[in-house]
Amino acid sequence: MASRGRAPAASCVLEVPGPIQVRVLPNGGAGDGRLVEVPEAPTAGAALAAALCGHLPWAERGEEPFFVSERAVVFAPNRGNLDSAAMHAALQEEERLFVVPRHRQFVHPAGEPGRSVQLQVSGADGAPVVLTTLSSSPRVFHVSNLLEGEHMDRLMADARPKFKRSTVGEAPEAAKGIHVGGELFDKAAKTSTRTSENAWAMTGDAAMTMKRRSLEMLGIQTETGGYDERLADGLQVVRYLQGQAYHDHLDHMQDFDPLWNYNAWRPPDVNGSNRIATVFLYMTDTPLGGQTVFPLAQRVLTEGSRRMLTDNASRSGDELARAMEAALGGSGWEVSMARRCFEKLAVFPRRGDAIVFYSQHADGRVDQQSLHGGCPVLEGEKWAANLWVWNAPRKGTVAASNNELHLTFTLARGAGLAALVRWVPADGQQGNQVGKLQPGGPGVAVKTFESHRFDVFKASEDGEGDALRRLGTVVASTRRGRVQTWVVSDGGVELQGGSAEATVPAKPEL
Ligand SMILES: O=C(O)CCC(=O)C(=O)O
Ligand SMILES: [Fe+2]
């Protein structure tokens, strides 16, 4: 990318910056986008958004977007820099600029494997953090210059006396009470599919530096525009000894997960929260094995990625087989995994290298392609630091009142019918009945949360309550107020006192 000649010339005459053009694309988009001129006259907020991306359906839910440049600079009203002057100062000629809907997060564009981008993020010893694409589906990047050697040494030294056998579905001790509830921690179980050891690093310079840089590198936007602790789990220092591994898994919370059930709470694609990305930093050179494998990704070797993906390639098949036998014995899931690890897209652990991969698409849907695992360590040890990053504050870190709503369903006056109200889980399963409406009877009141769905059915009047016909669906949204009354009649379900706009079902424009 050519940089504009903005530096003062040898004389005292300042070079006046000329107009600058950027390439505007939707969040996560591929390709070159559309060349648009950043207005020279001072332009800010909605006017700037319209000038830059009028050609895109950008006003999702009527909200102005924010912008993130390819080099991870966020331009947003709450950062005080959604204006043309700030863009002129920070952007390079023809830099790609992504339009991110207000309630989503920027997702780095993948591009071709091997493509590198130097971010405007200062990393280890002031060097810029560099992302290199390893795979576009799932989105996996190699990261250079994330953390200083001293910071890694500190993380390792602090973790050493604290290591415990890793569990799955656990959360840091220090976060107790801010996650789903105590139950979660009691149920965290040792498992045979994750045989490593781990220790949490919640505070301290090294952990904070890695957390801040990771969020910066991802271009994560927060409510205040500043760093927000609630957008990541604690930093986890992980150690795998010879033979240890972490079976293929997904990092985001699953719908069917009995402990978390995050998606049912608020799916990420309707502004809920879940893990969006994982930053994984290798802190040791592992002589053999210990790769992070992505079995569903395509393995493309390029000049830029060969070293990261073929590190142990000089070992012959026989040598590998002998090493596997010595480290793992003859059977078990670790043996078949170890073999796959030398065939699939797999990143070799090299001290100071990191990877970042996404568990969600740009539109918030979870990405099931992001399946990955920690390959068995065949020789030596593997030490790493792992950060799970969320697209919105983790469940339990948002005061319940922030998205709590009180809905009352009531029969229209004179409506001679009975009705049932059912809550519909996000997974589309059969709804749970929350109440019944009968002529002359009381309304049905529910306390619920943003995006929860309720179906209202006409019911047989004998009170047996068979659902006969669906009269309407209400999707809870605080945009229509925190206390709402919905009136049920044969003709449908309507918000009492609602304006025409308010009763239109929330429908994203994108
Ligand atoms: O050890 C690895 O390479 C991957 C670890 C991992 O997937 C995790 O900690 O979530
Ligand atoms: Fe993982």
Side-chain angles (χ1 to χ4, degrees), residues 246 249 251 278 357 372 386 388:
Y246 190 174
H249 63 280
D251 281 352
T278 302
F357 55 94
H372 63 279
N386 180 354
W388 286 311

Side-chain angles (χ1 to χ4, degrees), residues 24 29 39-41 50 134 149 165 170 180 204 208 286 318 339 344 447 465 479 484 490:
V24 180
E40 275 194 87
L134 298 179
R165 170 77 181 271
E170 67 184 339
V180 175
M208 290 311 297
T286 306
D318 278 355
R339 287 199 196 106
K344 303 286 185 177
K447 188 175 87 179
R479 275 164 58 79
Q484 301 165 16
D490 232 341

Side-chain angles (χ1 to χ4, degrees), residues 407-491:
L407 306 183
T408 302
F409 295 87
T410 179
L411 286 179
R413 200 170 307 154
L417 81 160
L420 304 175
V421 181
R422 286 184 180 168
W423 172 66
V424 187
D427 58 10
Q429 301 278 309
Q430 163 98 41
N432 301 332
Q433 187 159 320
V434 294
K436 192 151 63 175
L437 296 168
Q438 278 169 316
V444 169
V446 292
K447 188 175 87 179
T448 185
F449 296 95
E450 188 76 18
S451 88
H452 279 207
R453 251 186 75 182
F454 297 87
D455 279 345
V456 182
F457 288 91
K458 182 172 182 169
S460 55
E461 264 189 87
D462 58 10
E464 285 309 305
D466 294 332
L468 301 175
R469 175 167 65 87
R470 190 160 62 90
L471 296 167
T473 294
V474 173
V475 179
S477 165
T478 50
R479 275 164 58 79
R480 305 187 190 106
R482 293 196 184 276
V483 180
Q484 301 165 16
T485 299
W486 291 83
V487 181
V488 177
S489 68
D490 232 341

Side-chain angles (χ1 to χ4, degrees), residues 106-446:
F106 170 61
V107 164
H108 272 285
E112 290 302 305
R115 176 177 183 277
S116 283
V117 177
Q118 220 178 68
L119 304 185
Q120 255 183 330
V121 174
S122 167
D125 305 312
V129 173
V130 178
L131 291 192
T132 303
T133 302
L134 298 179
S135 158
S136 54
S137 174
R139 263 173 227 246
V140 186
F141 302 85
H142 177 275
V143 185
S144 310
N145 305 333
L146 187 62
L147 199 67
E148 287 80 357
E150 308 91 82
H151 281 325
M152 290 189 253
D153 292 343
R154 166 64 45 205
L155 287 173
M156 291 166 75
D158 288 351
R160 196 178 278 280
K162 292 198 287 189
F163 276 130
K164 283 205 284 217
R165 170 77 181 271
S166 300
T167 56
V168 166
E170 67 184 339
E173 188 68 15
K176 239 179 195 168
I178 59 168
H179 274 256
V180 175
E183 183 191 36
L184 176 67
F185 308 101
D186 299 333
K187 285 189 183 170
K190 282 196 183 67
T191 151
S192 61
T193 57
R194 190 183 185 192
T195 53
S196 55
E197 300 162 304
N198 72 308
W200 296 95
M202 306 294 293
T203 52
D205 224 22
M208 290 311 297
T209 304
M210 168 136 175
K211 287 201 281 187
R212 283 176 185 279
R213 259 180 216 161
S214 296
L215 294 190
E216 216 186 321
M217 160 178 90
L218 288 164
I220 291 282
Q221 166 68 342
T222 61
E223 271 168 50
T224 61
Y227 173 75
D228 188 337
E229 188 69 31
R230 301 172 306 168
L231 285 159
D233 288 285
L235 186 69
Q236 203 180 172
V237 177
V238 205
R239 176 175 69 180
Y240 298 77
L241 303 176
Q242 193 184 36
Q244 293 182 338
Y246 190 174
H247 201 279
D248 298 346
H249 63 280
L250 296 161
D251 281 352
H252 60 260
M253 305 303 158
Q254 299 287 295
D255 267 345
F256 49 79
D257 187 321
L259 292 183
W260 297 83
N261 206 12
Y262 272 76
N263 289 336
W265 177 67
R266 278 200 314 170
D269 54 348
V270 288
N271 198 20
S273 68
N274 205 333
R275 288 180 183 149
I276 183 173
T278 302
V279 182
F280 197 75
L281 169 74
Y282 306 104
M283 300 196 289
T284 49
D285 290 315
T286 306
L288 191 61
Q291 309 91 311
T292 307
V293 67
F294 295 85
L296 303 180
Q298 229 191 319
R299 182 173 184 261
V300 183
L301 296 182
T302 66
E303 214 161 296
S305 66
R306 193 173 300 273
R307 178 186 68 79
M308 307 150 191
L309 301 176
T310 60
D311 210 303
N312 300 149
S314 58
R315 309 274 184 132
S316 71
D318 278 355
E319 282 174 308
L320 281 181
R322 272 199 298 279
M324 286 179 201
E325 173 70 31
L328 308 171
S331 61
W333 61 267
E334 289 95 335
V335 175
S336 49
M337 183 177 189
R339 287 199 196 106
R340 271 187 292 126
C341 286
F342 286 90
E343 292 155 16
K344 303 286 185 177
L345 179 82
V347 185
F348 285 83
R350 281 292 155 258
R351 179 172 159 94
D353 282 4
I355 53 171
V356 58
F357 55 94
Y358 284 92
S359 301
Q360 288 178 24
H361 297 285
D363 63 4
R365 285 173 303 118
V366 291
D367 184 1
Q368 308 292 357
Q369 294 287 109
S370 64
L371 192 75
H372 63 279
C375 299
V377 169
L378 300 175
E379 283 173 16
E381 292 182 9
K382 167 180 164 191
W383 290 63
N386 180 354
L387 190 70
W388 286 311
V389 178
W390 293 68
N391 65 296
R394 301 187 305 267
K395 184 177 181 184
T397 61
V398 184
S401 59
N402 275 3
N403 62 358
E404 193 175 291
L405 286 90
H406 296 262
L407 306 183
T408 302
F409 295 87
T410 179
L411 286 179
R413 200 170 307 154
L417 81 160
L420 304 175
V421 181
R422 286 184 180 168
W423 172 66
V424 187
D427 58 10
Q429 301 278 309
Q430 163 98 41
N432 301 332
Q433 187 159 320
V434 294
K436 192 151 63 175
L437 296 168
Q438 278 169 316
V444 169
V446 292

